[in-house]
Amino acid sequence: MKPQNEMKMQLESRSVNEGYARVAVAAFAATLDPTLEEINDIKTAVSEAVTNCIVHAYKNTMGIIYITVRLFENGKVEIKIRDRGCGIADVEKAREPLFTTGGGDRAGLGFSVMESFSDNVRVRSKVGSGTTVTLIKYIHGRHTSIAP
């Protein structure tokens, strides 16, 4: 299925950019007329994915976070958040609640939060090449088509 609209952006992996990323993605998805709960779900999931890039992918260094958002006629929002950081050696282990490589100050709930606020989460990663997290959210707001 071809998307009705698409947005791409790149941000440096600075913690101050996390808030901008979630608001920009939510604003773009707002054309599907989501409920407040649906827009908050998107913000929360994006926030977690971007924070993972900042904290884990680019530990102690600066990198680029690539975000692509595609909107579909059936209300599907596909959000890809990609980095070219260190990658994840064991994706299944990383997706377990409370697992973290971030030290004692990290809760290890990032993927669990993304899964709670999305309809589907896919993770692809290669050590040394980076990670792509794809978040899928279906908008069931008042209507699901994008105005021309």
Side-chain angles (χ1 to χ4, degrees):
M1 181 184 307
K2 185 178 176 190
Q4 286 188 317
N5 203 359
E6 182 173 356
M7 184 249 323
K8 294 183 179 188
M9 63 187 222
Q10 345 183 97
L11 303 166
E12 288 187 339
S13 60
R14 300 178 187 277
S15 59
V16 296
N17 288 336
E18 175 272 325
Y20 176 76
R22 69 185 164 122
V23 170
V25 171
F28 187 73
T31 60
L32 292 176
D33 198 22
T35 65
L36 187 56
E37 181 179 357
E38 290 167 334
I39 208 71
N40 284 331
D41 289 353
I42 289 170
K43 286 180 177 179
T44 302
V46 167
S47 179
E48 289 296 328
V50 170
T51 297
N52 274 0
C53 294
I54 294 166
V55 172
H56 301 289
Y58 297 118
K59 292 181 218 180
N60 304 318
T61 187
M62 193 61 54
I64 301 296
I65 301 169
Y66 304 86
I67 301 173
T68 302
V69 184
R70 297 171 11 147
L71 306 179
F72 295 86
E73 188 173 322
N74 64 352
K76 177 181 172 183
V77 180
E78 178 188 82
I79 305 159
K80 287 189 179 186
I81 299 171
R82 183 173 59 91
D83 65 67
R84 292 187 178 154
C86 64
I88 302 170
D90 186 342
V91 171
E92 291 309 311
K93 183 75 172 166
R95 291 181 80 157
E96 290 178 9
L98 306 179
F99 176 82
T100 184
T101 60
D105 62 335
R106 307 308 305 179
L109 295 173
F111 285 120
S112 296
V113 170
M114 287 181 240
E115 289 167 351
S116 294
F117 291 93
S118 302
D119 293 310
N120 190 356
V121 177
R122 293 189 305 266
V123 182
R124 288 185 304 120
S125 190
K126 184 176 179 185
V127 174
S129 296
T131 302
T132 301
V133 173
T134 304
L135 307 169
I136 304 294
K137 180 72 178 174
Y138 285 93
I139 301 300
H140 305 289
R142 289 181 282 245
H143 63 72
T144 56
S145 64
I146 300 171

